Amino acid sequence: MWGVAKILIVDDQLGVRRLLFETFRGDQHEVEMAADGEEAVEMLKTFKPNLILMDMKMPGMNGIETLRQIRALDRQVGVIMMTAYGDAQNMEQAKELGILHYLGKPFDLFELRERVRDILTEV
């Protein structure tokens, strides 16, 4: 169990990134942000997060492509996938790539914080 976890927020919407950054920073975690998949993959190499909160729909590499590249580098890191589009095919692919949780947007911030807390205490 971590007292302080490293969390990477990956979302192309600045508002969502800032909200999650402030929320988890307020919970005393070490938080970094990436605006897209390529940036997330680069940050993975140096930041080494314990948990990644990632949007499915992003310009350039989408969440699935990004997840594939993340898994090529790190099989263990926990991933919560967020999406406003309940695309069954993408959800299946995400599950096959080992996501911990699938979250619909707009999400309930309290529910998300609780889910993150549960995940971080289980590890």
Side-chain angles (χ1 to χ4, degrees):
M1 175 181 142
W2 292 289
V4 175
K6 292 171 115 180
I7 299 175
L8 177 59
I9 312 291
V10 187
D11 199 303
D12 58 316
Q13 291 179 283
L14 179 61
V16 173
R17 284 200 311 275
R18 295 281 337 160
L19 173 69
L20 295 175
F21 178 86
E22 297 296 338
T23 298
F24 293 111
R25 177 62 65 85
D27 288 344
Q28 308 305 310
H29 296 298
E30 199 177 322
V31 187
E32 290 290 343
M33 298 183 290
D36 58 40
E38 285 179 34
E39 195 180 342
V41 171
E42 282 308 304
M43 291 198 78
L44 185 70
K45 298 170 186 172
T46 54
F47 181 57
K48 307 261 187 271
N50 306 114
L51 183 64
I52 299 172
L53 303 178
M54 182 164 52
D55 191 22
M56 177 70 83
K57 272 258 198 284
M58 297 183 286
M61 281 197 310
N62 69 16
I64 295 294
E65 276 310 304
T66 305
L67 190 52
R68 281 205 179 96
Q69 292 200 23
I70 286 169
R71 286 292 176 236
L73 294 167
D74 187 336
R75 306 277 330 151
Q76 301 302 314
V77 65
V79 178
I80 293 177
M81 193 68 86
M82 304 178 292
T83 185
Y85 312 91
D87 178 342
Q89 186 183 0
N90 279 340
M91 285 169 69
E92 274 312 303
Q93 285 182 302
K95 284 180 186 153
E96 285 166 20
L97 289 164
I99 64 166
L100 295 171
H101 187 62
Y102 202 85
L103 193 69
K105 279 181 164 183
F107 49 81
D108 179 319
L109 193 55
F110 293 104
E111 186 186 317
L112 176 59
R113 284 176 71 202
E114 206 165 279
R115 177 65 52 149
V116 167
R117 197 174 306 125
D118 290 348
I119 288 167
L120 295 175
T121 52
E122 283 168 13
V123 181

